[in-house]
């Protein structure tokens, strides 16, 4: 019997005291956000109309390697962090693999995912600036739930635009958010100009993250004392989420474990970026090497089939342009696509790293993902979120390769959350009603043809 | 800042190696189960038609203080145990109480509650006996989910009769059970004789635990290779659940904390009995004293308004008679009652202890319970199950008493599970649609008048 426990818990005093900013170690920095009108890099004062001041500083700082985590945020982290690093002994046995599989489990909190790590930071800075409320969008609902919890903790108003398809598939999420005092609106809505415009152009649309972002930004910039906050994509979010990777690394170090492969699911990049940041830092500084793999849905394949270009972050084109792997800001995955990872673009940081060949990307169809989810649930006892299950699938496939080669690779993946609010998707899977629709090349090209011209 | 962390985690090697049988230290033993036909104590060979042999031994053994936990079960426990003992610093601050509040959190596993502790034990013994499957009933769904997970782990068939009102209010629970390969039937059903009889007599009934038990027992005793398993009430269940109390005690001891008050919600008694067993043992042996408080819903008040008498464990009267605090085996709480704790009776062990003045009991109305749940969710960050919230309410009230007296009491309560599948109930609460119906004395008396005559 190995000495490594099933669950490696750090102590509360080992919660990181700083976030790590991977940009500081990147030779090729992520491209700056552009003002959509002038195509000039956004100035801090322009961004401050949308975001909190402190968060704008974090967003634009490509050089400071470490940011201190304020005491109030660390106190909140103590409610659910450090999160455990789990050794997947049973999954290894099930696969009969010589590989050693670990997963960092971020689902043991009421928001059900890692999103809380950044939500509490963003709520804290909003409160510190004396704001009265924040707006946001949510897709699968994890981010909205996380932000509701964070706002409730700091007594801030919280207005959530929820992608309509998720609002309908996950009515219970809404009640969790209400329990924490948030107001929740299905998007697109009639409440905003951009929402009304999208509804007029696409009646019956099931919504998209890009569209919900537009509504939330409009609401924030037209309501005094409000700002907008975002749960993924942005540099600041990856900074906050680095707490995942820092804890993972500390836990591995505690048992002298050297990771070979790091795997994370990728929607906008919040989890993947947070998990890999310190490992990528090692790699960028030449101190260690890892294979790093992003896993995305075949129905929304921004890394594997998108283009590295400047694009709008939102459907309504009210946000700045970001340089990223994108499918076009109009791209909306098929409505049959279950759960999150529906965003058309990808974090600029991760896009640059991928472009520079520092990480890989793979995509999976829904059914493959849910098959992995069910196996994992049965042997590891945790019912995974569909998003997280992308990483499970890829980790299982890497472990199965080790069966062939006999290599005892150490695989670490991010289990971002639980699937308790995704039972509609599981039900479709059980009933064989899950579609594996993948967009055609022509479809994708038609969206890419509409990318804004920036050069 | 106190040195006691927010979360006290034991190490995996500190998972108890034995279960503790509180009956061994009871001067007045719980009364034996009676054969409903002869009114004689049940013989082991009679019980073995319904239950696994090893479990029958555990059920009938009033004298062995400790039972070794088999290695296979301890291995499974490692997936989610030791569970954390949490210090409720934020709740204390919210209440401005000098009391110190701790809670043992059993919700951090996919079944969402403590039920898994006994489910895995019962599945293990069924497998060891060479059985092919087990049947059971589930109310709120936690037990069914737990048993599905346990059966999946040991590759056993699992047939669950789910109280119809829960089946309808919690459709997603069904999908979790299906993910683990269980078959789920709303009860009463047309599948069993007793189900058909109940449906004929009470068309439109929303079901009850007592009725679902009858169906599950009938199915088990008429299907070769099957036995019946139960998630509460029985002595064996309290034995397995003693792992909760043993860990709680070990965690308190680690920091030299002396509890004054132990509080648990009580439906059939599985959580309360498990939590208090080792503390009650101290008390019975005269080594320590504690106030021990059972908390039940005002709509199903077996301790506070029931009678200590022999009664059927099930509505269909196919099970043995147990001596317990009961509201009568026909008693069904009002359909507006949310969540679990719907059972008409109470564990014989706890009933005897309560009868002997060794513990107290209080009851709360639904709205009071959900008010406490929402406060708790907001300050402690965990969305509690309605069942668990009964204990929260009582703990808060004891802590508020300390505000008046200035006493720095140490209060420990059991947080049995999470409320992710209870959002219909939370929605009712948010919308002001929650009823606080409490049965009248006449109603209760009408059920008590029908208790079987055993003397």
């Amino acid at each position: 019997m190995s000495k490594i426990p099933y669950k490696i818990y750090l102590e509360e005093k080992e919660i990181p005291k700083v976030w790590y900013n991977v940009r500081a170690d990147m030779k090729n920095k992520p491209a700056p956000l552009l003002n959509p009108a002038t195509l000039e890099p956004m100035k801090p004062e322009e961004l401050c109309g949308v975001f909190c001041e402190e968060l704008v500083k974090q967003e634009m700082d490509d050089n400071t390697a470490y940011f201190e985590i304020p005491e109030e945020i660390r106190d909140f982290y103590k409610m659910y962090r450090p999160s455990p690093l789990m050794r997947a002994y049973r999954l290894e046995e099930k696969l009969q693999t010589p590989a050693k599989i670990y997963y960092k489990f971020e689902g043991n909190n009421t928001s059900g995912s890692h999103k809380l790590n950044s939500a509490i930071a963003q709520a804290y800075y909003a409160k510190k600036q004396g704001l009265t409320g924040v707006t946001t969008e949510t897709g699968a609902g994890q981010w909205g739930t996380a932000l509701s919890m964070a706002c409730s903790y700091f007594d801030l108003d919280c207005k959530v635009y929820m992608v309509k398809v998720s609002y309908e598939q996950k009515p219970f999420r809404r009640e969790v958010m209400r329990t924490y005092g948030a107001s929740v609106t299905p998007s697109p809505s009639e409440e905003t100009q951009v929402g009304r415009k999208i509804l007029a152009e696409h009646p019956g649309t099931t919504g998209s993250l890009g569209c919900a972002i537009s509504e939330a930004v409009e609401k924030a910039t037209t309501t005094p004392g409000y700002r907008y906050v975002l749960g993924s994509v942005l540099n600041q979010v990856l900074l906050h989420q680095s707490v995942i990777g820092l804890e993972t690394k500390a836990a591995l170090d505690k048992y002298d474990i050297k990771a070979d492969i790091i795997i994370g699911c990728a929607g906008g990049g919040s989890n993947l970026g947070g998990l890999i940041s310190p490992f990528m830092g090692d790699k960028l500084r030449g101190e260690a090497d890892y294979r790093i793999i992003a896993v995305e849905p075949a129905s929304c394949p921004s890394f594997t089939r998108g283009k590295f270009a400047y694009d709008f972050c939102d459907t309504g084109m009210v946000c700045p342009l970001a340089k990223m792997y994108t499918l076009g800001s109009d791209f909306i995955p098929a409505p049959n696509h279950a759960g999150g990872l529906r965003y058309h673009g990808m974090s600029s940081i991760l896009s640059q790293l991928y472009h520079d060949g520092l990480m890989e990307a793979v995509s999976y169809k829904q059914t493959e993902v849910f098959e992995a989810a069910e196996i994992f649930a049965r042997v590891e006892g945790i019912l995974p979120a569909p998003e997280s299950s992308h990483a499970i699938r890829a980790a299982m496939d890497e472990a199965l390769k080790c069966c062939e080669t006999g290599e005892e690779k150490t695989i670490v993946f991010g289990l971002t959350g639980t699937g308790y609010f995704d039972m509609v998707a599981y039900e479709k899977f059980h009933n064989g009603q899950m579609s594996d629709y993948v967009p055609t090349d022509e479809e994708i090209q038609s969206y890419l043809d509409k990318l804004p011209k920036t050069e």
Side-chain angles (χ1 to χ4, degrees), chain A:
Chain A
M1 204 63 189
S2 169
K3 273 184 217 158
I4 295 168
Y6 285 75
K7 307 172 293 295
I8 305 178
Y9 273 109
L10 301 174
E11 292 179 40
E12 272 167 29
K13 62 185 179 209
E14 294 175 285
I15 291 175
K17 292 185 176 57
V18 292
W19 292 304
Y20 167 64
N21 180 11
V22 71
R23 285 169 287 167
D25 286 306
M26 288 169 72
K27 217 181 291 178
N28 299 328
K29 306 292 182 192
L33 296 171
L34 297 188
N35 183 316
T38 64
L39 299 186
E40 293 294 316
M42 290 290 287
K43 299 188 182 73
E45 55 273 26
E46 293 173 318
L47 283 173
C48 284
V50 181
F51 299 112
C52 305
E53 285 161 29
E54 198 61 34
L55 293 168
V56 170
K57 278 189 208 161
Q58 294 178 358
E59 188 65 29
M60 304 190 79
D61 189 336
D62 286 348
N63 299 304
T64 304
Y66 294 99
F67 285 81
E68 195 181 323
I69 307 177
E71 191 63 31
E72 291 88 339
I73 297 175
R74 297 187 72 235
D75 264 354
F76 186 88
Y77 279 169
K78 285 179 191 163
M79 288 212 286
Y80 66 102
R81 305 204 70 84
S83 70
L85 181 71
M86 316 283 282
R87 174 73 184 267
Y89 283 119
R90 292 186 186 76
L91 183 60
E92 292 168 18
E93 195 190 326
K94 173 82 180 173
L95 302 175
Q96 292 286 302
T97 177
K100 289 162 183 53
I101 309 175
Y102 294 85
Y103 54 97
K104 179 71 168 169
F105 181 41
E106 291 286 320
N108 266 353
N109 68 73
T110 286
S111 80
S113 82
H114 67 293
K115 294 286 185 183
L116 202 50
N117 302 330
S118 183
I120 193 63
Q122 298 194 45
Y124 168 78
Y125 291 116
K127 187 71 182 180
K128 207 178 154 204
Q129 194 178 320
L131 300 176
T132 53
V134 293
T135 70
T136 198
E137 77 297 326
T138 195
Q142 285 105 328
W143 169 246
T145 309
L147 190 67
S148 304
M149 289 176 70
C151 286
S152 162
Y153 188 72
F154 285 125
D155 200 19
L156 279 169
D157 292 347
C158 180
K159 171 92 184 162
V160 181
Y161 291 89
M162 187 170 187
V163 177
K164 195 181 272 176
V165 63
S166 297
Y167 185 90
E168 285 163 3
Q169 282 186 359
K170 305 187 175 184
F172 294 173
R173 277 275 185 206
R174 186 190 60 222
E175 292 307 321
V176 181
M177 293 187 244
R178 284 179 79 193
T179 300
Y180 286 95
S183 98
V184 190
T185 306
S187 167
S189 79
E190 298 281 353
E191 281 183 8
T192 62
Q193 282 196 9
V194 64
R196 289 189 292 272
K197 183 162 172 280
I198 291 167
L199 280 173
E201 286 169 11
H202 307 279
T205 175
T206 54
S208 71
L209 268 183
C211 158
I213 292 173
S214 301
E215 291 205 80
V217 170
E218 181 185 321
K219 184 77 181 176
T221 50
T222 55
T223 310
Y226 271 52
R227 289 295 184 284
Y228 167 71
V229 297
L230 180 62
S232 193
V233 183
L234 296 174
N235 299 340
Q236 59 188 263
V237 175
L238 267 69
L239 176 69
H240 306 148
Q241 294 294 359
S242 69
V243 71
I244 304 173
L246 292 164
E247 280 186 11
T248 302
K249 210 153 176 295
L252 292 172
D253 287 350
K254 200 164 225 177
Y255 287 86
D256 274 329
I257 304 160
K258 163 82 179 62
D260 296 303
I261 308 175
I262 323 272
I263 299 172
C265 63
S270 67
N271 152 68
L272 181 70
L275 173 66
I276 70 170
S277 274
F279 298 95
M280 185 60 86
D282 289 353
K283 193 165 169 167
L284 290 164
R285 293 187 306 270
E287 292 167 12
D289 197 18
Y290 310 95
R291 274 183 67 205
I292 294 176
I293 307 175
V295 194
E296 59 185 15
S299 52
C300 192
S302 35
F303 265 139
T304 51
R305 298 177 67 197
K307 190 173 167 186
F308 188 44
Y310 267 106
D311 193 11
F312 289 97
C313 292
D314 64 323
T315 313
M317 304 182 183
V318 302
C319 290
L321 301 174
K323 190 166 183 189
M324 56 185 178
Y325 279 86
T326 179
L327 296 160
S329 63
D330 272 347
F331 181 86
I332 296 179
N336 64 63
H337 171 62
L341 310 182
R342 300 174 64 85
Y343 188 61
H344 67 274
M346 182 58 66
S347 141
S348 288
I349 295 174
L350 294 180
S351 293
Q352 187 64 50
L353 291 167
Y354 181 64
H355 185 71
D356 291 343
L358 290 156
M359 50 184 282
E360 310 163 33
V362 292
S363 75
Y364 285 103
K365 294 180 182 173
Q366 292 200 93
T367 304
E368 300 171 305
V369 168
F370 276 84
E371 281 165 359
E374 189 158 286
I375 291 169
F376 183 83
R378 291 188 183 191
V379 296
E380 288 292 318
I382 294 171
L383 186 85
E387 297 83 2
S388 328
S389 303
H390 288 75
I392 296 173
R393 175 83 238 185
M396 282 170 61
D397 283 356
E398 289 297 331
L400 289 171
K401 282 183 204 160
C402 291
C403 295
E404 292 168 29
T405 62
E407 289 173 295
E408 296 188 15
K409 294 220 167 138
T410 295
I411 301 167
V412 177
F413 72 89
L415 189 72
T416 55
T418 49
Y420 306 136
F421 292 96
D422 299 285
M423 297 320 296
V424 169
Y426 273 92
E427 185 174 14
K428 277 188 190 169
F429 171 67
H430 293 145
N431 295 342
Q433 295 161 341
M434 185 151 270
S435 149
D436 277 332
Y437 182 79
V438 169
T440 63
D441 288 343
E442 291 69 29
E443 271 180 273
I444 288 180
Q445 194 54 50
S446 74
Y447 290 110
L448 294 180
D449 287 344
K450 287 184 279 181
L451 286 180
K453 305 216 175 343
T454 54
E455 289 158 54

